[in-house]
Amino acid sequence: ANRLIEIYLQNETENNPWLREVNGLSDSEKAVLLLQEASFKDLLSDEEHRDIIDAIIGVKANELFAYAEMKLGTTVFRDSLFSILKRHEFENMNFESLLDTLGSLGETDLHPIIDNWTSPATLPEYIIGTPTVTQITGREEDIYQLVLNISNISDYPGLIRLEILNLNTTSQQAVPEDEQAKRIIPFNPHETKRIVANYDEAPPNIN
């Protein structure tokens, strides 16, 4: 349980477009593909993929924590999770206790998710439309409205992590600018959602 939280808080599961371009697939994407072929339980003991074990754990951590994160917001949830980790800094956390705590925060029963970890994952498929950004002129200031259509075309429910990134001119790294810029969106089977968000400046990058 402690390692699951640590990897999540350290953002070990990267989504780096540059790494994907150089290597073909990120470690997180490799982990997702492996989890469709083998169960999480089996991969934990598989020596062949020890080099990306943190990415495999990270994918499952994101799945497990997503519901509480949606309920509380990313920043508040991460702070709560960090507090839980600090309370158990010098001891192994009881996994059932962690499930109950996170389930309470997210108002969701997490045990069915854990039950599925003994089988290969069944993942949804999405069609993601081309995002459009429209400049809207107001009386006092202009705003930029982002519109994005996403469809789950599979028979399985799923979650999408959407990030609207701005370029940090100091570090030359793309970072989310606020809570609206980083969100988790749930999808039922065969559901389409229209995502609309307003910004003071035109968002240059969407992941």
Side-chain angles (χ1 to χ4, degrees):
N2 298 60
R3 186 62 180 146
L4 199 71
I5 294 177
E6 289 170 1
I7 290 176
Y8 172 83
L9 291 176
Q10 292 168 6
N11 286 320
E12 289 289 347
T13 53
E14 86 296 331
N15 183 22
N16 191 314
W18 181 84
L19 285 176
R20 187 183 299 111
E21 183 177 343
V22 172
N23 299 328
L25 288 174
S26 69
D27 285 350
S28 295
E29 290 166 333
K30 293 176 184 176
V32 169
L33 293 177
L34 286 172
L35 285 164
Q36 293 182 80
E37 300 173 358
S39 71
F40 179 49
K41 180 180 178 181
D42 290 340
L43 288 173
L44 287 177
S45 58
D46 187 350
E47 293 295 329
E48 182 181 353
H49 302 106
R50 300 306 294 178
D51 57 325
I52 62 169
I53 191 62
D54 281 357
I56 293 171
I57 294 173
V59 168
K60 287 302 183 181
N62 281 326
E63 175 189 5
L64 186 63
F65 299 154
Y67 297 96
E69 187 176 334
M70 280 191 294
K71 184 70 176 180
L72 298 178
T74 299
T75 301
V76 173
F77 173 69
R78 288 177 67 87
D79 289 344
S80 300
L81 206 53
F82 183 77
S83 298
I84 294 173
L85 188 63
K86 289 295 289 183
R87 289 201 302 269
H88 297 272
E89 186 173 9
F90 300 107
E91 61 182 359
N92 289 323
M93 191 183 313
N94 181 277
F95 194 60
E96 291 296 323
S97 175
L98 174 64
L99 290 182
D100 291 340
T101 300
L102 294 177
S104 177
L105 290 174
E107 299 180 358
T108 303
D109 183 6
L110 299 180
H111 288 85
I113 297 177
I114 301 300
D115 292 342
N116 290 331
W117 285 7
T118 58
S119 303
T122 53
L123 300 178
E125 297 179 45
Y126 298 97
I127 293 178
I128 300 177
T130 302
T132 61
V133 178
T134 304
Q135 183 177 356
I136 301 175
T137 301
R139 289 185 177 181
E140 298 182 357
E141 59 182 12
D142 294 350
I143 63 170
Y144 294 84
Q145 185 173 85
L146 167 73
V147 177
L148 174 65
N149 292 316
I150 303 176
S151 299
N152 178 1
I153 61 172
S154 74
D155 296 328
Y156 307 107
L159 301 168
I160 281 185
R161 289 179 177 269
L162 178 67
E163 294 187 21
I164 313 298
L165 303 179
N166 279 343
L167 184 66
N168 185 318
T169 55
T170 301
S171 63
Q172 293 299 305
Q173 293 181 340
V175 296
E177 65 173 5
D178 53 34
E179 283 292 325
Q180 181 182 221
K182 188 174 184 179
R183 67 179 77 173
I184 300 174
I185 305 169
F187 282 83
N188 293 319
H190 303 286
E191 181 179 23
T192 296
K193 289 189 175 181
R194 184 171 183 259
I195 314 302
V196 179
N198 296 324
Y199 297 91
D200 293 332
E201 298 180 1
N205 198 4
I206 301 171
N207 285 332

